[in-house]
Structure formats: C-alpha cells, structure tokens
Amino acid sequence: MSFIVAIDGPAGSGKGTITKKVGERLNLINIDTGAMYRCVALECLNENIKLEEKHKIIEVSNRIKIELKEDGKVFLNYKDVTTQIRSKEVSQIVSQISSIVEVRLNMVNLQRKMAEGKKIIMEGRDITTYVFPNADIKIYLDASLEERARRRYKEMKEKGQEITYQDVINNIKIRDKNDKNKEIGSLQIAPDAIVIDTTYLTIEEVAERIINIIEEKLK
Ligand code: DC
C-alpha cells in the first residue's frame, strides 16, 4: 500500500531541501516533480525546440525517459543531468513549459506511477491539490517574498552567478504569478493542508516539525 506525503509551496519556500532531509530521515522515496519539468525543458533546448512549437514540446514530454535516483541524481534518457537541469537557460523556460496542459498531464501520469505501492514524499506545486488530493499528509510551505528572494539570491551567488537581489525579487514575482495562474495544476493551498510559514524558521526546525507530523500519522 502506498503512503504519500505531499508538499507544495512557491519558489524559495525551502521545499527542496526540507523534503530531501525528511525523506532521508524517514526512509521515504523523494520525488522532486520540478526536476521532471526541468528535464522536459532541457530536452527541448537540446533539440533546439522553440517555446512556440507546442506540439513538439508535448511530443518530447511523451517520449523522454526520466529517472529520479535515490541519491538525488536526475537522469534524462540514461544521462546524468543533475547539474544541467538547474542551469539559467532551463530556469528561464521551464515555467512556460510546465504551463502546457498536455505536458502536465504526462508528468502527472508519471508521478502517480512512481508512487504506486511505495512510501514517498513528493514536492511540487500541485501535489496536494491535483496529483494526490487524497495524500496521507498534505503540507504547504510558505515564506515572505523578501525571504524567499534572499534565499535564492544567496544560493545563486554561491554558485557564482551574476545577479542582483532586485533581479531575483522580480524573477520570483513572475514565477509566483505563473505558478498561480496555470490552467490546471496551479499553486493553491489545499483546504486540508497544514500550512507552515518558514520565514523565521531554520531548515532543521521545519524538517523536525514535518517529521513529527508524519510520525504521529504513522502511529
Ligand atoms: O521547483 P522547481 O523550481 O524546480 O520547478 C521548476 C518549474 O516547474 C517551476 O516553474 C514550477 C514548475 N512546476 C510545476 O508547475 N508543477 C510542479 N509540480 C513542480 C514544478
């Protein structure tokens, strides 16, 4: 029988890091659904497909082979693309790619298959509302716009990327708007989700809170 912990939240809410930590501590398979949309975007770049060529993008999302390994590595068509999917080029187009309904339906199908009969923790934007509306546990992570931008800015600077704090804020505002206005799978707070505001909490504190919620449910 499956056991599903679903986590949603906007960019910079800490979802990725926290989900990984909780998954490792409780032996849950970690599924980063953003990485899947990033694989579609990367393959489109590799094949020189333009954003206007919707039918080609859908075709790519139908045929590519995506593997999310237990150690966090991401494979696209049997090649390790863990670093490549985080590139600026992929980040620039992934939001538009993930707005295409047919692409979403293909990814959602894959996500549901990945969870069959397993104990998983899955993070994204529409996991608590659309992919697994009946998940065992639903969590929505949030933080103020300024704090989310500060985290992203720090991350990008550490990677040596040339960017200003103002650019990051603007970028996050655009992503929030895109994420909240998708035709299907838009970012929303499920009525029965537990909302955690991470603005003034450390990663460890948030992880601890979620672990307690899961352990309580598993009792
Ligand atoms: O979480 P992330 O930044 O790696 O996600 C990449 C993009 O994919 C982002 O634009 C939001 C989108 N996404 C989505 O639409 N639905 C999901 N379940 C996960 C990510």
Side-chain angles (χ1 to χ4, degrees):
M1 214 177 70
S2 332
F3 179 78
I4 295 163
V5 180
I7 312 226
D8 284 325
S13 57
K15 271 182 313 175
T17 322
I18 290 160
T19 301
K20 197 161 158 265
K21 246 192 182 359
V22 174
E24 276 167 10
R25 289 264 293 276
L26 297 181
N27 243 327
L28 302 170
I29 297 171
N30 179 5
I31 302 178
D32 168 4
T33 59
M36 299 169 70
Y37 291 99
R38 286 174 181 273
C39 282
V40 180
L42 177 61
E43 186 59 22
C44 289
L45 287 175
N46 288 345
E47 296 185 25
N48 267 319
I49 296 171
K50 305 277 167 296
L51 281 171
E52 306 78 64
E53 299 178 295
K54 220 175 115 179
H55 65 285
K56 287 194 185 171
I57 302 175
I58 296 166
E59 195 263 317
V60 162
S61 76
N62 249 318
R63 96 171 114 83
I64 56 171
K65 172 109 176 93
I66 301 171
E67 290 166 282
L68 305 178
K69 306 280 187 189
E70 274 184 28
D71 60 2
K73 288 219 157 55
V74 180
F75 278 64
L76 165 62
N77 294 335
Y78 310 102
K79 257 184 59 193
D80 184 352
V81 293
T82 315
T83 313
Q84 267 175 293
I85 57 164
R86 308 278 160 204
S87 72
K88 217 162 94 187
E89 292 74 17
V90 168
S91 300
Q92 266 163 2
I93 62 164
V94 63
S95 178
Q96 275 161 283
I97 293 215
S98 71
S99 302
I100 301 172
V101 171
E102 293 86 343
V103 171
R104 297 201 72 78
L105 294 177
N106 280 335
M107 292 304 113
V108 169
N109 264 337
L110 270 179
Q111 289 153 15
R112 289 181 179 151
K113 276 205 192 104
M114 283 172 169
E116 270 170 19
K118 306 213 172 74
K119 290 188 172 162
I120 62 145
I121 182 161
M122 186 180 281
E123 56 118 334
R125 305 292 194 285
D126 59 343
I127 313 306
T128 58
T129 54
Y130 187 77
V131 184
F132 289 115
N134 298 318
D136 296 273
I137 294 173
K138 299 186 188 184
I139 291 174
Y140 186 95
L141 292 181
D142 210 350
S144 70
L145 172 68
E146 293 73 19
E147 174 60 18
R148 291 189 289 123
R150 200 191 58 76
R151 291 174 188 167
R152 272 290 140 92
Y153 177 69
K154 187 166 166 264
E155 228 173 76
M156 292 168 108
K157 277 283 167 192
E158 278 166 7
K159 281 191 200 151
Q161 296 182 13
E162 270 308 312
I163 195 143
T164 66
Y165 175 73
Q166 198 50 48
D167 285 341
V168 179
I169 284 241
N170 294 341
N171 204 291
I172 287 196
K173 276 188 191 160
I174 296 170
R175 286 185 60 175
D176 281 356
K177 194 162 163 244
N178 275 340
D179 285 345
K180 287 178 179 160
N181 289 294
K182 292 203 169 103
E183 218 173 310
I184 64 158
S186 62
L187 178 64
Q188 289 168 31
I189 305 178
D192 51 349
I194 300 167
V195 180
I196 304 178
D197 183 342
T198 71
T199 308
Y200 302 108
L201 297 175
T202 63
I203 292 197
E204 204 42 61
E205 284 169 330
V206 182
E208 212 46 59
R209 212 176 269 194
I210 297 176
I211 288 167
N212 286 340
I213 295 168
I214 300 173
E215 282 180 338
E216 204 44 49
K217 179 88 187 182
L218 284 170
K219 259 185 200 163

